[in-house]
C-alpha cells in the first residue's frame, strides 16, 4: 500500500525513502533502480568530472527510469572548488526538479535552483544549521544523526534526540537520515515526526550499487562497531569503515605532536577510496560507512529491498496501532 506523507506527495514517489547522494556510488544504475522501486534515486553530481559529464549521466538515467529522480550537490572545502553554479545550471537545464544539497555555504546554489522552482532537500547535522537552511528557502530538511556515514558534524547527537528536536522546533518538514536499513526504522522515523527516511549505506549493499561485490560482502559481515571517526582533530569528522587505513589514520591523528594535517592526508585520500569500490580490496583506502552496517545482512535488489521495507513498516505501524484499545474494553 503506498504511503501518503508530505515527502511522497511533493516528490511524486510511492514509498518515503530517499537514496542519499554518495560519492563514487550515486550513478544512474543505482538511482534509476531506487526510483523504479518506488523511492527517490539520486545521482551524485561530483562523481562526474565536469558539468557536461553530469548532463550525460542525467540523460542516461532518464533512459533507465520513467520515475522522478534527483541530483545531490555537496559543497565542501577545496583548494580549487568545483564550479557548483555550472553543475546546478545543468540540473536546471535538464529539467531535474529535485536536488539534495549538503555542505558549506549552500546559499548561492540554493537561490539559483529555487529560481526555477526546484524542490530542495538539505542535509543538516544540527538544529542550528537546519534553522539557517530554512532561511535559505529549502523545502525539506534531511536531519543527519551521528550514526550516519561520512560527515557527522561535531556535536555527536544521535537521531533519537535529533529527530525529536526537529519535530519540536522546525517549521518545514524533515526526513530522517543515519541508521536506517529496514521498515521498523522507517516506522520509527515516521512516529518521531519525520516524513520519510534517507538511506546511503543500505543502498550501497544492493545488487545495482556500482561497487565491487567484495565491498558489499564486507558490509554484510560487519558489526555496528566496525566504523571509525577520523579527522576529529581538525573538526572535519567523518565516519569511515574501520579498515587498516582508517585505523592507522586515527593512530597518527591522536599521536601527532605537530597536529599537521599533512601527516594524515595520504591515508584519507579520496582517490584511494574510489579505487576500493573498483578493485574490491576493503583495505586499499578509506571509504564511508554508517553504524547501520550492523543491521545489513544481505545484498538484495533495490526492488526487493524497498518492497520489504514498505511491508515491514506497514506491519510495524499496524502492530503499534493495535496496542491502543478503548478504555471500555480494559
Amino acid at each position: 500500500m503506498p504511503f501518503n506523507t508530505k515527502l511522497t506527495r511533493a516528490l511524486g514517489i510511492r514509498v518515503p525513502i530517499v537514496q542519499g547522494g554518495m560519492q563514487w556510488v550515486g550513478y544512474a544504475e543505482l538511482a534509476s533502480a531506487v526510483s523504479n522501486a518506488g523511492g527517490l534515486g539520486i545521482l551524485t553530481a561530483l562523481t562526474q568530472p565536469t558539468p557536461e559529464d553530469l548532463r550525460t549521466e542525467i540523460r542516461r538515467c532518464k533512459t533507465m527510469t520513467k520515475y522522478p529522480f534527483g541530483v545531490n550537490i555537496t559543497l565542501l572545502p577545496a583548494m580549487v572548488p568545483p564550479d557548483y553554479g555550472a553543475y546546478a545550471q545543468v540540473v536546471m537545464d535538464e529539467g531535474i526538479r529535485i536536488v539534495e544539497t549538503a555542505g558549506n555555504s549552500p546559499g548561492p546554489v540554493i537561490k539559483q535552483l529555487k529560481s526555477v522552482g526546484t524542490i530542495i532537500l538539505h542535509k543538516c547535522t544540527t538544529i542550528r544549521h537546519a534553522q539557517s537552511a530554512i532561511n535559505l528557502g529549502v523545502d525539506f530538511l534531511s536531519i543527519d544523526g551521528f550514526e550516519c556515514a561520512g560527515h557527522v558534524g561535531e556535536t555527536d547527537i544521535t537521531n533519537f534526540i535529533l529527530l525529536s528536536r526537529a519535530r519540536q522546533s522546525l517549521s518545514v518538514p524533515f526526513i530522517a537520515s543515519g541508521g536506517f536499513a529496514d521498515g521498523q526504522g522507517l516506522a520509527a522515523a515516521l512516529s518521531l515526526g519525520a516524513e520519510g527516511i534517507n538511506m546511503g549505506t543500505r543502498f550501497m549493499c544492493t545488487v545495482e550499487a556500482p561497487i565491487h561485490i567484495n565491498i558489499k560482502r564486507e558490509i554484510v559481515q560487519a558489526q555496528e562497531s566496525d566504523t571509525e571517526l577520523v579527522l576529529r582533530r581538525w573538526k572535519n569528522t567523518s565516519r569511515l569503515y574501520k579498515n587498516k587505513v582508517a585505523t592507522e589514520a586515527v593512530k597518527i591523528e591522536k599521536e601527532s605532536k605537530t597536529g599537521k594535517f599533512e601527516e594524515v592526508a595520504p591515508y584519507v585520500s579520496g582517490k584511494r577510496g574510489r579505487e576500493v569500490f573498483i578493485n574490491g580490496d576493503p583495505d586499499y583506502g578509506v571509504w564511508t560507512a554508517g553504524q547501520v552496517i550492523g543491521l545489513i545482512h544481505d545484498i538484495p535488489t533495490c526492488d526487493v529491498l524497498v518492497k520489504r521495507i514498505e511491508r515491514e513498516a506497514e506491519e510495524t505501524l499496524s502492530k503499534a496501532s493495535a496496542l491502543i484499545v478503548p478504555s471500555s474494553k480494559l
Side-chain angles (χ1 to χ4, degrees):
M1 183 182 299
F3 280 80
N4 181 18
T5 74
K6 290 179 181 177
L7 185 76
T8 60
R9 293 194 299 271
L11 305 188
I13 59 178
R14 190 173 56 82
V15 186
I17 299 174
V18 174
Q19 167 245 313
M22 293 174 282
Q23 189 72 342
W24 315 128
V25 182
Y27 293 96
E29 289 82 358
L30 179 59
S32 62
V34 174
S35 291
N36 287 335
L40 181 79
I42 290 186
L43 300 174
T44 304
L46 297 186
T47 58
Q48 304 302 323
T50 69
E52 286 306 309
D53 288 309
L54 176 60
R55 189 188 307 278
T56 299
E57 190 72 359
I58 289 172
R59 292 179 178 179
R60 190 164 74 95
C61 197
K62 287 178 179 178
T63 69
M64 300 168 75
T65 182
K66 63 181 182 180
Y67 298 105
F69 64 91
V71 173
N72 166 280
I73 300 178
T74 297
L75 299 90
L76 294 173
M79 295 294 288
V80 183
D83 188 345
Y84 295 114
Y87 279 97
Q89 189 60 53
V90 165
V91 171
M92 295 159 63
D93 292 346
E94 292 301 313
I96 302 301
R97 292 295 177 260
I98 305 167
V99 171
E100 177 188 60
T101 56
N104 303 318
S105 304
V109 165
I110 289 175
K111 182 178 180 181
Q112 181 181 356
L113 292 165
K114 291 302 291 182
S115 70
V116 293
T118 306
I119 296 173
I120 304 292
L121 291 73
H122 185 70
K123 297 189 79 171
C124 302
T125 59
T126 69
I127 298 302
R128 180 172 61 86
H129 290 147
Q131 296 285 13
S132 298
I134 291 172
N135 294 335
L136 296 175
V138 304
D139 300 278
F140 288 87
L141 291 154
S142 184
I143 301 299
D144 228 3
F146 185 56
E147 306 94 327
C148 73
H151 294 278
V152 299
E154 307 302 322
T155 56
D156 300 3
I157 308 297
T158 57
N159 258 330
F160 208 71
I161 300 299
L162 201 56
L163 295 176
S164 289
R165 284 286 290 117
R167 183 187 70 250
Q168 291 175 348
S169 58
L170 299 182
S171 59
V172 304
F174 62 92
I175 64 174
S177 178
F180 295 97
D182 54 31
Q184 289 81 1
L186 172 56
L190 295 173
S191 298
L192 288 169
E195 300 293 336
I197 58 173
N198 177 300
M199 300 195 309
T201 306
R202 174 64 271 198
F203 277 124
M204 283 175 62
C205 202
T206 57
V207 170
E208 294 90 349
I211 64 176
H212 199 286
I213 185 63
N214 288 356
I215 305 307
K216 300 176 188 182
R217 290 171 178 158
E218 190 78 5
I219 292 171
V220 167
Q221 63 83 36
Q223 303 297 312
E224 61 272 18
S225 55
D226 290 333
T227 68
E228 196 78 82
L229 294 173
V230 181
L231 306 184
R232 299 231 85 171
R233 186 168 184 166
W234 297 279
K235 298 192 182 304
N236 188 28
T237 307
S238 284
R239 186 180 298 282
L240 306 174
Y241 183 68
K242 186 187 285 186
N243 61 9
K244 293 176 183 178
V245 185
T247 300
E248 184 64 21
V250 171
K251 182 175 185 289
I252 293 170
E253 180 177 343
K254 291 179 177 178
E255 296 178 358
S256 170
K257 298 294 192 295
T258 67
K260 290 183 177 179
F261 178 74
E262 288 80 359
E263 294 182 48
V264 76
Y267 294 86
V268 295
S269 164
K271 291 181 180 179
R272 291 185 68 87
R274 182 185 186 184
E275 287 299 313
V276 166
F277 295 151
I278 297 171
N279 66 27
D281 179 358
D283 287 310
Y284 188 79
V286 296
W287 48 285
T288 62
Q291 291 179 323
V292 75
I293 53 177
L295 304 180
I296 297 171
H297 309 299
D298 62 355
I299 309 171
T301 65
C302 289
D303 188 64
V304 167
L305 176 62
V306 171
K307 282 184 170 62
R308 184 169 72 202
I309 292 173
E310 182 181 16
R311 183 183 67 253
E312 290 171 345
E314 288 181 20
E315 291 172 353
T316 302
L317 291 169
S318 293
K319 287 179 182 178
S321 178
L323 296 175
I324 303 171
V325 297
S327 56
S328 60
K329 292 186 178 182
L330 294 176

